[in-house]
Amino acid sequence: MPHYGDFQNEIYLAGLSGVVPKLPTDFATLEARAAAAMPPHVLNYVQGGCGDELTQRRNSEAFGHWGMVPRMMVDSTSRDLSIELFGQRYPTPLFMAPIGVTGICTQDQHGDLAAARASVATGVPLCLSTLTNDPLETVAQTLGDQPGFFQLYTPRDADVAASLVQRAEKAGYRAIVVTLDTWVTGWRPRDLNTASFPQLRGHVLSNYFSDPAFRKLLPQPPEVDPAAAIRAWTKLFGRVLTWADMPWLKSLTKLPIVLKGICHPDDARRAVDAGAGAIYCSNHGGRQANGGMAAIDLLPEVVKAAGSVPVLFDSGVRSGTDVVKALALGARAVGVGRPYAYGLALDGAAGATHVLRCLLAEADLLMAVNGWPSIAAVREAGALRVS
């Protein structure tokens, strides 16, 4: 039976013929290579965080505060990394977290399609952002039968919001992931210092410009007057959501509503009571608010409060070991963001595929050597705070 960890055998065997991996297998070298290759305005947007980026650093560093204890004399020659989510079985607990500038991460400006191809190649679901360079339907066609999720930045205009959600459902996405913490952008010095905001330059707005409800708001089509369309977008982006909006959100679709940005157990309980299909524990990777705690440190209490409702997680995931630790702390599925964006920048779909395979291989091999043949065994082992 093949395992994700077999990827290392491919690398070592290729090395016998003098072939080394085109891209690095560790995050630090990957980030350095991507930083040298990406245009500064794209790199700043992907790599940067809010304020002095303290929360962003905490997100990744906090995984080092958690340790796990191996179990020996356990037969882990076969591992099962599959999970159940939204009534479907997925081969891995990993998913590609939504990134609003994926589209401009590749040289051809079709990074969303490249991410979809990487999803198909690895079986790792893609959570597609509202902000894309290719319409959500085109990305769905690229995904084919591979499941994906659609992340919603809820517009202020109710008709545009309903249209985006219904388009996503019709296109075959399996859940609507509603981001709660981005009705206004946080203070991002890297972008501010260069006065660069991609959307104001017309990037990653294809889902709006192709949307019939949005186009009705325009005096002329975006193809004729793109500047006016961009101005219209700035006026409707970012609806402030409250708990009173949950019945409306649920009325838009039969798909599960996933609430992204939940970090407090009381909010998790309210989400459960409001009928959320899943809770997404995330602080937006430190991009939206600074000075907060690391998301991984908040995860256990969110999971406890969520009860039987699944909890998705992202923020600071840089390795397969990070993925396993998040699973041990109760996450049902774990999202990775910046690493696959760097892979896209360096080698398109093949680069993102390489990054995802590295993450899965490391997670699988960690489970193998530590005597955890299943995710249930990982959770039974748990993770302990070590500092």
Side-chain angles (χ1 to χ4, degrees), residues 146-383:
Q146 167 65 25
F149 315 131
F150 180 73
Q151 175 269 341
L152 178 71
Y153 286 123
T154 311
R156 296 174 191 171
D157 186 282
D159 290 339
V160 177
S163 181
L164 287 170
V165 170
Q166 289 157 12
R167 286 171 59 195
E169 181 173 357
K170 183 178 180 181
Y173 293 90
R174 308 299 176 87
I176 304 297
V177 177
V178 181
T179 294
L180 304 175
D181 64 358
T182 314
W183 59 272
V184 65
T185 56
W187 184 257
R188 303 172 185 169
R190 294 204 205 191
D191 297 329
L192 291 164
N193 289 342
T194 58
S196 178
F197 195 75
Q199 293 88 321
L200 296 182
R201 300 170 188 266
H203 298 299
V204 299
L205 297 180
S206 68
N207 282 325
Y208 298 91
F209 289 2
S210 62
D211 191 85
F214 179 80
R215 293 171 73 93
K216 285 182 181 178
L217 303 176
L218 306 176
Q220 297 186 85
E223 300 82 5
V224 176
D225 192 349
I230 293 169
R231 289 194 297 270
W233 173 81
T234 64
K235 294 178 181 178
L236 67 77
F237 180 82
R239 172 172 175 155
V240 178
L241 294 171
T242 70
W243 295 111
D245 290 307
M246 270 298 283
W248 168 68
L249 287 169
K250 292 183 67 179
S251 74
L252 300 180
T253 180
K254 296 179 181 177
L255 297 175
I257 296 292
V258 182
L259 296 181
K260 180 177 183 288
I262 300 291
C263 291
H264 195 289
D266 288 349
D267 290 342
R269 282 185 279 269
R270 292 202 68 169
V272 171
D273 292 342
I279 292 163
Y280 194 148
C281 180
S282 167
N283 61 18
H284 216 111
R287 284 187 53 75
Q288 274 297 91
N290 197 32
M293 295 176 63
I296 191 67
D297 292 341
L298 301 170
L299 176 61
E301 289 301 314
V302 170
V303 169
K304 182 178 178 181
S308 61
V309 174
V311 175
L312 283 62
F313 173 82
D314 75 18
S315 297
V317 175
R318 301 290 183 263
S319 67
T321 299
D322 293 344
V323 173
V324 174
K325 287 182 179 180
L327 294 171
L329 292 172
R332 180 75 61 89
V334 181
V336 61
R338 288 179 177 92
Y340 87 79
Y342 294 148
L344 288 172
L346 290 170
D347 197 21
T353 297
H354 171 84
V355 169
L356 295 173
R357 292 189 73 190
C358 287
L359 290 165
L360 289 171
E362 182 183 351
D364 180 40
L365 291 169
L366 179 66
M367 290 171 61
V369 300
N370 276 0
W372 307 322
S374 65
I375 293 175
V378 168
R379 295 209 176 99
E380 184 178 353

Side-chain angles (χ1 to χ4, degrees), residues 138-152:
T138 305
V139 179
Q141 290 170 5
T142 303
L143 286 171
D145 294 331
Q146 167 65 25
F149 315 131
F150 180 73
Q151 175 269 341
L152 178 71

Side-chain angles (χ1 to χ4, degrees), residues 4-74:
Y4 296 111
D6 295 341
F7 184 41
Q8 75 169 353
N9 298 334
E10 294 181 29
I11 295 174
Y12 288 138
L13 290 173
L16 297 177
S17 301
V19 177
V20 298
K22 184 176 181 180
L23 298 186
T25 60
D26 67 289
F27 176 76
T29 312
L30 176 74
E31 184 175 45
R33 287 268 301 274
M38 298 173 78
H41 70 283
V42 180
L43 175 65
N44 285 333
Y45 198 93
V46 173
Q47 191 179 61
C50 187
D52 67 0
E53 302 180 353
L54 174 62
T55 298
Q56 178 172 296
R57 293 191 299 274
R58 282 177 175 166
N59 275 337
S60 56
E61 292 170 358
F63 282 91
H65 302 157
W66 294 93
M68 302 183 68
V69 180
R71 301 303 303 268
M72 295 296 101
M73 304 294 284
V74 176

